[in-house]
Amino acid sequence: MMVDKIKPWIKKGSKALLLGLVALLLPPLLYLLAALVLSLLTTSPPLDDCPKVHDIYLSSNGIHLDILIERKLVGPSLLRQLDRDWQSKYLGFGWGDQGFYLDTPTWAELKLETLVAAVFLKSESAMHVTSYFRLPADAVRVRLCASQLERLRTFIEASFEKNPAGATVEIPDAGYTPHDFFYRAHGSYSGINTCNEWVNDGLKSAGLSSCIWSPFDWGILYQMRNREPAPE
């Protein structure tokens, strides 16, 4: 008798638990599905039929992408604004959540509250500039013509926050090593507008066919590897 009375409550509890699991798991599953589909679909910019004579590179630490540009191709305007005596051959540019950048020097130091704040809360962003004396082994080459490179440089420069004098605003004592530096940036990080989507937007601004949307690094790398030869 007692079992018969309990059975309806068990059924109701099981149903509620199932609905709770669906409500919990469905949003991240839909997010991952959208990321997969929209990373495989590409934009169709107007054909820019110009000689591809300049190389830039994409490099990932496994999660986050940077755009690497040979220092002599960065352009005098941005180099002047960065106001530093760069000696390396390449400069790497990345964008992301300022708190995430500064509080997480390595992935082993990632804290849940830092991740939640970056994804769900409106917060300040930062540009990360790293000097490279040689290309990382996994660098993916992307070939550009002069006009495409100029549009990409404009996009990168516009991402930096400027002071009233028009100079970039460095975040003091924030670099991980003597060869990287942080600067205040425009925009706010979110699960939609990620560090990798910033790279994707940069490639779009240059007039390249890239992912429709790619919050993760693998989508962009997949598209660029399929259109470009490996570095020589």
Side-chain angles (χ1 to χ4, degrees):
M1 297 290 291
M2 183 63 70
V3 173
D4 292 337
K5 291 181 180 180
I6 294 175
K7 279 184 178 179
W9 292 100
I10 294 176
K11 289 182 179 179
K12 289 181 180 179
S14 299
K15 185 176 181 180
L17 179 60
L18 179 61
L19 291 174
L21 286 173
V22 170
L24 183 65
L25 296 176
L26 188 58
L29 289 176
L30 290 176
Y31 179 88
L32 292 173
L33 178 61
L36 174 62
V37 173
L38 296 179
S39 291
L40 294 176
L41 297 176
T42 58
T43 58
S44 300
L47 180 63
D48 204 338
D49 190 18
C50 53
K52 307 296 191 293
V53 294
H54 299 300
D55 293 337
I56 66 164
Y57 300 86
L58 303 181
S59 178
S60 172
N61 64 4
I63 296 179
H64 168 89
L65 277 175
D66 277 350
I67 300 173
L68 276 59
I69 305 177
E70 198 167 353
R71 180 165 51 87
K72 67 181 182 181
L73 298 179
V74 169
S77 175
L78 182 52
L79 286 177
R80 184 172 59 252
Q81 291 176 35
L82 293 174
D83 191 23
R84 190 171 296 278
D85 184 22
W86 305 99
Q87 298 297 319
S88 58
K89 185 174 182 180
Y90 302 92
L91 292 182
F93 297 92
W95 175 93
D97 179 81
Q98 186 178 135
F100 195 104
Y101 262 142
L102 303 187
D103 296 337
T104 315
T106 66
W107 293 112
E109 298 172 79
L110 176 61
K111 299 175 183 177
L112 179 60
E113 57 265 32
T114 302
L115 179 61
V116 170
V119 174
F120 296 107
L121 301 179
K122 188 180 175 89
S123 56
E124 294 181 307
S125 58
M127 288 293 293
H128 188 205
V129 183
T130 307
S131 58
Y132 291 87
F133 291 89
R134 63 183 62 84
L135 287 172
D138 66 344
V140 174
R141 182 174 68 177
V142 181
R143 309 218 77 175
L144 305 177
C145 65
S147 61
Q148 291 173 326
L149 176 63
E150 181 58 34
R151 292 198 293 271
L152 179 62
R153 290 192 303 212
T154 299
F155 172 85
I156 293 173
E157 185 173 334
S159 298
F160 286 85
E161 186 179 303
K162 309 291 176 56
N163 64 21
T168 56
V169 182
E170 185 176 349
I171 302 172
D173 303 318
Y176 305 144
T177 73
H179 306 294
D180 71 296
F181 307 89
F182 286 96
Y183 299 82
R184 297 193 180 280
H186 294 295
S188 184
Y189 186 99
S190 71
I192 303 299
N193 188 37
T194 68
C195 51
N196 299 308
E197 181 58 18
W198 177 84
V199 172
N200 194 43
D201 285 342
L203 297 174
K204 289 178 183 177
S205 75
L208 298 178
S209 177
S210 190
C211 308
I212 291 180
W213 176 63
S214 186
F216 304 112
D217 62 343
W218 52 263
I220 301 165
L221 292 175
Y222 170 81
Q223 296 294 353
M224 293 303 111
R225 283 178 177 137
N226 275 325
R227 69 185 299 276
E228 298 292 343
E232 297 171 356

